[in-house]
Amino acid sequence: DIQMTQSPSSLSASVGDRVTITCRASQGISIYLAWYQQRPGEVPKLLIYGAATLQSGVPSRFSGSGSGTDFTLTISSLQPEDVATYYCQKYNRAPLAFGQGTKVEIK
Amino acid sequence: QITLKESGPTLVKPTQTLTLTCTSSGFSLSTSGVGVGWIRQPPGKALEWLGVIYWDDDKFYSPSLKSRLTITKDTSNNQVVLTMTNMDPVDTATYYCAYRLPWVGMVFDPWGQGILVTVSS
């Protein structure tokens, strides 16, 4: 089965900073990669699918890129409401798999 | 507006069978392309995919849990039921059901509020 590895596991950045999270698949998955945001105490929310397609209603400061095995989620200007854990998920075929999560905090 | 809500026991004993129901609105389980997935999250840990059921009754399960899982649907009540046998304390988690975006792939949005299930004697 394909494994998903995120880095870093956590990060601390200042408001307004550019933040980048990486997700690596153990085998190629084309662009079948999604990103979710889970704020503290809340339900996961879909941000991006197809590696780079922004889900409706998601702020444009979020962007995704990559294909094959290496993907990135970028927050162009970190906001206080972006404090959350971010998960990547591969979905090229079953079984699905999530990364272990990246916790983003404000410095 | 699509909504989903999980219901069921919040405490089960080891070896018991867990049955959770996902009641949804805003879509029909009989509509082509529709799917509902189950995902769980142990306290403080990452998300784990359990399985998914589609409008045509096609199903996929996590290989590591396949022998213990059954997902069924009740189209008339717009409900999806997850059954997990032989529960163990390591199965303590918040269990979510989620709507699969039609024709996008196994990507889920929105999710239900989740139900915390504790396995303890």
Side-chain angles (χ1 to χ4, degrees), chain B residues 9-56:
Chain B
T10 57
L11 178 66
V12 298
K13 290 180 167 49
T15 75
Q16 286 187 335
T17 293
L18 171 69
T19 300
L20 294 176
T21 300
C22 175
T23 302
S24 58
S25 63
F27 66 95
S28 170
L29 285 167
S30 61
T31 298
S32 182
V34 166
V36 171
W38 286 94
I39 304 99
R40 72 179 179 179
Q41 185 174 36
K45 296 189 177 181
L47 302 167
E48 179 184 15
W49 175 71
L50 301 179
V52 64
I53 187 167
Y54 289 112
W55 81 101
D56 59 359

Side-chain angles (χ1 to χ4, degrees), chain A residues 39-57:
Chain A
R39 293 182 173 129
E42 295 189 5
V43 170
K45 170 189 166 184
L46 176 67
L47 295 177
I48 287 168
Y49 60 91
T53 301
L54 216 60
Q55 172 68 334
S56 176

